Amino acid sequence: MQISIPEKIVNIAVLAFDGISPFHLSVPCMVFGEHHGGLAMPEFDLKVCLDQTGKIHKEVRTNAGFGILVRHGLTTLARADMVVVPSWHDDLRPAPPALLKALRQAHQRGARLIGLCLGAFVLAEAGLLDGRSATTHWALAKAFSERYPQISLDPNVLYVDHGDVITSAGTAAGIDCCLHVLRTGYGADVAAHVARRLVVAPHRQGGQAQYIEQPLAVLATDERLVKVLEWMLAHLAEPQQLDHLAQRALMSRRSFTRHFQQQTGTTVGKWLLNQRLALAQRQLETSKRGIDDIAADTGFGTGLLLRRYFAREFGISPSAYRREFQGNA
């Protein structure tokens, strides 16, 4: 039994403001607002809105020098199933009281709130992160901790998901966070399909380091590493020795490990573990195969090792994870 795509239209409100970065605004719009044909997809109704009430018909200035016409205001949040604050002003100015009130009301009503990059500051100001953990752009981590000491900030991860409230690190981590929302809500196939259309990595674990020399999984021009990564993904069930991988890349062991971490932001072992876990998740979500069979297919060898790593990384057993997606069927 695969994850069923809900027939109900999912209403999404994305906040815009004067001076917003077009990239930050585009991230949720590209993931949730584009038509990604070729697969049964959830139906999203995405609206970009301003932090103002009343009738809206205003051009928002971006920090790139062009404007965007916005026709929706804070009343949109009252009907939203998901509210995304894609960023915030670089000077970290206080959010308007009307916006904070609308965010609190949306949360109380059951909407899911997502603060990407500096958007975490707005959710924190609204009191929605008190006593919880969160993340934001690493460069503003100190300012966040000083302003909100009641929040446990982790500046070393890509995103933190509490279910009802999610925060992400800066820039490209916003894409990872939005794909994570797709994956957990609608399954690995949907997230992977959208990632392919966007030409980005389909899944990066939330605990992966956010500050890396290249924010995406690998540079398209790095042909040697691309070929090695493709080979690794195609042979996850097999043992993968570091010396053998370095030989495939025509590098020394030392150069390969350094180059790999520069390009992916993690070690060879951690990257390989993340890919094996992601494949195990997909099989648990979409099949009824036994745990031992999945463990063999994903390179863990035994169900015992799969259970151990799965519980360590996700805090849940493979069987319990499967039930979350497939129920008792």
Side-chain angles (χ1 to χ4, degrees), residues 307 310-322 324:
R307 292 183 181 92
F310 209 91
R312 189 186 75 180
E313 297 295 323
F314 304 125
I316 190 174
S317 70
S319 297
Y321 181 86
R322 168 177 274 163
E324 286 189 357

Side-chain angles (χ1 to χ4, degrees), residues 117-118 120-121 132-146 148 151-160 167-171 173 204-212 265:
C117 193
L118 300 187
F121 279 81
R132 291 179 160 188
S133 56
T135 193
T136 189
H137 196 294
W138 63 268
L140 279 300
K142 182 179 180 182
F144 188 97
S145 294
E146 291 175 348
Y148 306 109
I151 300 170
S152 177
L153 183 73
D154 188 346
N156 300 311
V157 299
L158 294 176
Y159 49 84
V160 176
T167 53
S168 88
T171 317
R204 292 201 294 170
Q205 303 289 356
Q208 185 169 319
Q210 61 167 283
Y211 180 59
I212 56 179

Side-chain angles (χ1 to χ4, degrees), residues 41-42 55 65 68 72 81 90 116 119 135 139-140 147 169 177 197 203 211 223 248 252 274 283 287 293 319 325:
M41 296 287 293
K55 189 174 181 180
I68 300 173
H72 304 283
D81 302 297
D90 291 341
L116 305 178
T135 193
L140 279 300
R147 184 176 294 189
C177 182
R197 295 295 294 265
H203 184 51
Y211 180 59
E223 294 183 2
R248 296 189 71 89
S252 68
N274 286 344
Q283 292 201 18
S287 78
D293 291 335
S319 297
F325 280 88

Side-chain angles (χ1 to χ4, degrees), residues 220-292:
T221 55
D222 191 344
E223 294 183 2
R224 286 186 296 176
L225 191 53
V226 167
K227 290 179 180 178
V228 173
L229 290 177
E230 289 175 348
W231 186 90
M232 292 172 71
L233 287 172
H235 297 82
L236 289 176
E238 303 172 16
Q240 300 193 16
Q241 301 297 328
L242 186 56
D243 287 336
H244 176 66
L245 296 173
Q247 289 175 3
R248 296 189 71 89
L250 303 178
M251 299 179 188
S252 68
R253 178 190 178 108
R254 183 178 179 181
S255 294
F256 177 73
T257 54
R258 182 178 66 251
H259 189 62
F260 191 99
Q261 185 150 10
Q262 287 175 340
Q263 299 300 313
T264 67
T266 189
T267 65
V268 175
K270 184 63 175 177
W271 186 91
L272 189 58
L273 175 62
N274 286 344
Q275 302 310 313
R276 285 173 166 160
L277 286 170
L279 180 58
Q281 285 179 302
R282 183 171 180 175
Q283 292 201 18
L284 289 166
E285 294 166 9
T286 59
S287 78
K288 296 182 179 180
R289 303 183 70 237
I291 301 300
D292 287 337

Side-chain angles (χ1 to χ4, degrees), residues 12-16 47-58 70-80 83 98-99 102:
I12 301 177
V14 178
L15 181 72
K47 290 183 171 63
V48 175
C49 58
L50 287 175
D51 55 358
Q52 301 175 10
T53 58
K55 189 174 181 180
I56 302 296
H57 189 89
K58 179 182 177 181
V70 179
R71 294 187 174 91
H72 304 283
L74 287 179
T75 54
T76 302
L77 273 64
R79 299 184 297 273
V83 179
L99 171 60

